[in-house]
Amino acid sequence: MKLHTSQNTIEKSSSFQTSNFKIDATAKAFAILSDSLYSNKIKAVVREISTNAYDAHVAAGCPDKPFYVQIPTKLDTTFAVRDYGTGLSHDDCFGLYTTYFRSDKTDSNKAVGCLGLGSKSPFAYTDQFLVESFYNGTHYIFSSYKGDTGEPVFSLLDEKPTDEPNGMRISMSVDPEDSGEFKEEAQTIYQSFDVRPDTSVQLDFEDNEVLVESSNWKIYKSGWKNTVVMGQVSYPIDTDQFEYGTDAYKLLDGCNGFEIKVDIGDLDITPSRESLSYNDRTKKNILSMVKKLDRISSVSSSLNKIDTWNDIKLFDKEELGYNRFSVHTGIKNLVEFQKSKWRESISRKETEYVFLGDPAGVSIIYQDTNRGAVGRVRHHLL
């Protein structure tokens, strides 16, 4: 993925003594870039190694071919990803693969990677993992491990002829107690992949019913999050990153369960690839997408109001089995959030009424901040 950088023009009134900043390649620096960078270690390993496999298939001209993933179990505790891409030569393994922030993907938006960090993500979980490269008839086996000082080391273990197709295989041993979490994270990550990998065990993907869709967006029947899929990775859109009360905020807050697919490079991401980076460029592009989705939002709202279509009941409606009454408050900008018993979504509407009763299940929350309130309310309801 192409990185977006800016050129600065500096005007000086006189000549000053200057020094460029540097990065000291210490064990602490490597630990930050390989471990502290990720909040969810297992998810990071599965996502980063898998997107690298996807990039390898794109580079080899076979993006529609599934790569292979060995999901660990308590009986076989190996997690491994084998791609059928280009593979790496001996020199590239020792040069490109082992260098942080060096990547051969920064000049193209066909690839997900760009920072040269994802290939080192296994260090977030383990102190040692294997890197195998199948390259033009030669099988290279390397060990990546943390040395005595804590700094990562890359060693060639074996080199032998092979008839296997080109590609890479990254593997590591995991704690048997973590095998279930590896499977769960794999299911979550591969849910948004256009071509899901072949796996050693069957994965159970959510079959979320689509209400309406086009080539680059979908609206799901169930779901309270709005997401963006870029480079096979799904990112939730954080509504609270937009100023409360703006058109973008209202539209994002009022439409739940939509998914937009964007081209790689359309939005910026954090170095961990765990979330979008909400800089001015990303916000501007999301706003542009959201404006295009204005009609989609209207369609979604209209669908939620339809009980039947051609005499077919579309949605089950929640029945109130108790007396409920409303009190007119006269308060402007009062918003009611409600989670349906039957649909996995949260509705929102502006009102001047507070519904009471026995049992009403009503919580009244005073918003004293411009950001974060809606997310907390939704978390409370879920």
Side-chain angles (χ1 to χ4, degrees):
M1 182 175 72
K2 291 183 179 180
L3 293 175
H4 294 86
T5 58
S6 58
Q7 296 289 333
N8 296 326
T9 301
I10 306 298
E11 295 184 3
K12 299 180 181 179
S13 59
S14 60
S15 179
F16 299 100
Q17 182 179 1
T18 61
S19 175
N20 291 335
F21 282 82
K22 305 176 183 64
I23 295 178
D24 196 4
T26 62
K28 178 175 66 175
F30 288 121
I32 291 172
L33 295 175
S34 297
D35 186 354
S36 303
L37 187 66
Y38 306 107
S39 60
N40 185 330
K41 316 297 185 186
I42 294 176
K43 188 173 186 177
V45 173
V46 178
R47 180 187 62 246
E48 297 304 310
I49 301 304
S50 298
T51 51
N52 279 352
Y54 166 80
D55 283 345
H57 282 206
V58 172
C62 56
D64 296 329
K65 182 176 182 177
F67 53 89
Y68 178 79
V69 180
Q70 181 174 338
I71 306 294
T73 65
K74 290 190 176 182
L75 295 178
D76 187 347
T77 60
T78 299
F79 171 74
V81 175
R82 167 66 157 106
D83 70 59
Y84 304 97
T86 58
L88 291 176
S89 67
H90 175 278
D91 291 343
D92 280 341
C93 285
F94 273 107
L96 180 65
Y97 194 90
T98 61
T99 306
Y100 285 70
F101 294 114
R102 180 179 295 176
S103 173
D104 59 355
K105 307 172 186 177
T106 55
D107 294 328
S108 172
N109 275 335
K110 294 182 179 180
V112 181
C114 62
L115 295 176
L117 299 177
S119 59
K120 293 80 173 173
S121 62
F123 281 131
Y125 179 86
T126 184
D127 289 343
Q128 180 179 7
F129 62 98
L130 288 180
V131 176
E132 298 174 68
S133 178
F134 304 87
Y135 185 76
N136 294 348
T138 303
H139 180 192
Y140 301 100
I141 304 176
F142 302 90
S143 176
S144 298
Y145 60 95
K146 293 180 181 179
D148 295 338
T149 63
E151 297 180 19
V153 181
F154 195 69
S155 297
L156 177 63
L157 301 182
D158 196 9
E159 178 181 341
K160 56 188 177 182
T162 182
D163 294 330
E164 289 207 37
N166 282 3
M168 303 288 291
R169 184 178 187 268
I170 313 300
S171 61
M172 64 184 196
S173 181
V174 308
D175 187 328
E177 298 302 318
D178 290 337
S179 58
E181 188 172 349
F182 268 89
K183 180 180 178 180
E184 291 176 2
E185 295 298 353
Q187 289 171 169
T188 300
I189 291 166
Y190 301 144
Q191 179 80 37
S192 58
F193 271 54
D194 290 331
V195 178
R196 290 170 181 163
D198 294 328
T199 54
S200 58
V201 300
Q202 182 177 347
L203 301 182
D204 301 317
F205 296 105
E206 294 181 8
D207 187 17
N208 199 346
E209 184 178 348
V210 177
L211 288 178
V212 60
E213 65 179 315
S214 184
S215 59
N216 64 341
W217 57 262
K218 296 178 181 178
I219 295 180
Y220 293 101
K221 179 178 179 180
S222 301
W224 60 275
K225 294 188 298 183
N226 299 321
T227 59
V228 169
V229 176
M230 184 174 71
Q232 313 297 307
V233 181
S234 179
Y235 301 95
I237 300 177
D238 186 358
T239 304
D240 292 332
Q241 293 289 336
F242 297 83
E243 186 177 351
Y244 178 78
T246 60
D247 291 340
Y249 181 95
K250 290 180 179 178
L251 186 54
L252 284 168
D253 188 50
C255 183
N256 301 309
F258 70 70
E259 174 189 277
I260 313 171
K261 284 195 174 182
V262 301
D263 293 332
I264 296 175
D266 282 354
L267 305 175
D268 292 324
I269 56 174
T270 59
S272 65
R273 213 195 308 273
E274 292 180 334
S275 63
L276 298 174
S277 176
Y278 288 90
N279 53 29
D280 290 340
R281 176 179 176 272
T282 295
K283 286 185 177 181
K284 180 181 178 180
N285 288 346
I286 290 179
L287 178 59
S288 176
M289 298 171 195
V290 168
K291 287 181 177 178
K292 294 178 182 179
L293 285 173
D294 194 7
R295 291 184 180 179
I296 304 173
S297 176
S298 300
V299 169
S300 177
S301 300
S302 298
L303 285 171
N304 286 333
K305 296 175 183 177
I306 298 174
D307 290 325
T308 61
W309 180 264
N310 290 338
D311 297 326
I312 299 174
K313 189 173 184 180
L314 296 180
F315 305 115
D316 291 327
K317 298 297 183 180
E318 183 177 1
E319 299 293 337
L320 298 178
Y322 48 84
N323 292 327
R324 196 178 184 202
F325 58 91
S326 61
V327 175
H328 184 259
T329 64
I331 300 174
K332 303 294 183 182
N333 300 322
L334 188 65
V335 178
E336 177 186 1
F337 293 91
Q338 195 176 78
K339 185 180 186 303
S340 170
K341 180 179 179 181
W342 305 109
R343 298 185 67 225
E344 298 176 8
S345 61
I346 296 174
S347 63
R348 174 193 185 278
K349 68 176 181 179
E350 296 182 358
T351 182
E352 293 185 4
Y353 292 84
V354 173
F355 289 90
L356 305 173
D358 186 20
V362 173
S363 297
I364 299 176
I365 300 173
Y366 173 69
Q367 181 174 334
D368 58 353
T369 179
N370 287 335
R371 291 185 177 180
V374 175
R376 295 188 185 101
V377 170
R378 283 183 170 150
H379 180 75
H380 173 72
L381 287 175
L382 293 172

